């Protein structure tokens, strides 16, 4: 295979991830909340800014995702190495704009899979951190209106965020909010004063996205944070919408935009 994720051994067998496209499938709960755009700006890396008008102005998204991924090695790793292909992820996505590029930036992410952490920090510019992330399963006999699904993010034995949704009614995927492009901010500091740091905006579009079993929900959300997090900057907020769904998508090669030096 071509050179991609380290370590670059002779066989590339030890690499954490291969080249895109990557195949994902899983389930997610998402809670949309309204907060002051000035609070959002505190968590966005310059020169990105929070938009002040439009449908996503001041609207953030907290999500917990549980999915399998082939990490660019082919679908068979998801059943031949089940734990390697499994990832649980929590995130806060915030509306962001740079010039004519508008979308969501995952300003804060937590997950439990080293391939996801390495690839997203090294390639896609998502600021992943290691954490314990869990999302409950409803009893099959109770699935439907009134079923509860909870999620929690824990880091260094401290609870960072907690979410709970209650299923209300099944809806069409077409009724979900639009979020624009997925944005990443790749910053790699230089190891030498003689070499510049890398600072780039990554603009992603998903390939072959499928959303099924979509439920509109009521929700509760706590953004707690701890000594190595700043998500409490988003308080106070107001929940505006919540959803639970199944999803499948391809992560494709992205557009890379160099950003100006400070």
């Amino acid at each position: 295979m071509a050179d991609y994720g380290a370590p670059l051994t002779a066989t590339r067998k030890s690499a954490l991830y291969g080249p895109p496209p990557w195949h994902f499938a899983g389930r997610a709960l998402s809670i949309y909340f309204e907060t002051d755009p000035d609070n959002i700006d505190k968590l966005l890396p310059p020169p990105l800014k929070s938009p002040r008008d439009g449908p996503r102005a001041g609207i953030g998204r907290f999500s917990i995702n549980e999915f399998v991924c082939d990490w660019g090695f082919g679908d068979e790793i998801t059943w031949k190495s089940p734990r390697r292909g499994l990832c649980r992820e929590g995130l806060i996505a915030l509306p962001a704009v740079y010039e004519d590029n508008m979308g969501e930036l995952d300003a804060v992410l937590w997950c439990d899979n080293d391939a996801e952490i390495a690839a997203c920090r090294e390639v896609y510019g998502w600021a992943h951190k290691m954490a314990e992330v869990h999302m409950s399963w409803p009893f099959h006999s109770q699935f439907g209106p009134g079923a509860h699904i909870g999620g929690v993010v824990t880091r260094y034995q401290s609870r960072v965020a907690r979410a709970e949704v209650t299923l209300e009614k099944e809806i069409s995927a077409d009724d979900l909010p639009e979020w624009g492009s997925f944005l990443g901010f790749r910053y790699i500091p230089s190891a030498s004063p003689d070499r510049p740091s890398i600072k780039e905006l990554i603009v992603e579009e998903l390939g072959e996205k499928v959303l099924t079993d979509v439920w509109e929900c009521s929700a509760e959300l706590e953004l707690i944070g701890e000594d190595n997090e700043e998500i409490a900057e988003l308080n106070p907020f107001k929940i505006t919408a919540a959803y639970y769904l199944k999803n499948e998508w391809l992560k494709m090669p992205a557009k890379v935009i160099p950003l100006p030096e400070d």
Side-chain angles (χ1 to χ4, degrees):
M1 81 182 254
D3 290 349
Y4 214 71
L8 299 182
T9 61
T11 65
R12 306 298 190 264
K13 182 179 179 179
S14 299
L16 281 175
Y17 55 89
W22 299 349
H23 191 184
F24 290 81
R27 62 193 184 106
L29 67 79
S30 291
I31 300 172
Y32 289 78
F33 59 89
E34 183 178 10
T35 187
D36 190 321
D38 288 342
N39 294 340
I40 292 176
D41 275 339
K42 295 175 183 178
L43 298 185
L44 295 179
L48 277 66
K49 292 288 187 181
S50 176
R52 268 28 187 200
D53 51 37
R56 286 299 304 276
I59 303 295
R61 174 173 62 91
F62 174 86
S63 292
I64 290 184
N65 304 307
E66 182 180 66
F67 56 80
V68 293
C69 181
D70 68 359
W71 309 122
F73 296 121
D75 291 357
E76 64 272 11
I77 78 161
T78 64
W79 63 83
K80 290 186 176 180
S81 184
R83 182 60 188 94
R84 181 181 170 197
L86 176 65
C87 182
R88 302 177 186 91
E89 174 189 69
L91 63 90
I92 296 178
L94 300 175
V97 61
Y98 172 70
E99 295 182 343
D100 59 349
N101 298 283
M102 172 72 180
E104 280 191 336
L105 177 78
D106 288 351
V108 188
L109 303 98
W110 310 271
C111 79
D112 63 358
N113 185 293
D114 58 359
E116 172 84 352
I117 291 174
C120 287
R121 292 185 73 99
E122 295 169 6
V123 181
Y124 291 99
W126 293 5
H128 273 73
K129 296 180 179 180
M130 182 66 75
E132 292 185 0
V133 182
H134 296 285
M135 178 165 50
S136 70
W137 280 92
F139 291 106
H140 299 313
S141 61
Q142 299 175 6
F143 189 83
H148 299 278
I149 300 163
V152 63
V153 177
T154 303
R155 181 168 156 79
Y156 297 140
Q157 300 181 330
S158 294
R159 182 169 288 191
V160 174
R162 185 197 70 85
E164 182 178 327
V165 299
T166 302
L167 305 189
E168 293 191 339
K169 65 177 181 179
E170 194 166 6
I171 63 173
S172 168
D174 294 335
D175 295 327
L176 290 168
E178 291 290 335
W179 51 63
S181 300
F182 286 102
L183 304 179
F185 182 87
R186 183 165 65 171
Y187 177 72
I188 303 176
S190 175
S192 168
D194 300 326
R195 300 286 296 177
S197 298
I198 295 173
K199 188 163 68 169
E200 299 168 331
L201 181 68
I202 311 297
V203 182
E204 297 183 60
E205 302 294 344
L206 299 184
E208 298 184 24
K209 180 177 65 175
V210 178
L211 306 176
T212 60
D213 298 333
V214 181
W215 285 79
E216 190 175 65
C217 307
S218 58
E220 299 176 8
L221 176 62
E222 291 181 272
L223 301 180
I224 305 163
E226 47 95 40
D227 63 355
N228 190 222
E229 306 290 348
E230 299 177 71
I231 61 174
E233 298 280 5
L234 297 171
N235 295 322
F237 61 82
K238 176 185 176 183
I239 293 174
T240 59
Y243 306 94
Y244 177 77
L245 53 85
K246 295 178 182 177
N247 47 24
E248 185 168 358
W249 71 98
L250 292 178
K251 191 177 186 74
M252 307 300 291
K255 180 172 72 171
V256 178
I257 301 173
L259 294 173
E261 294 296 322
D262 295 331

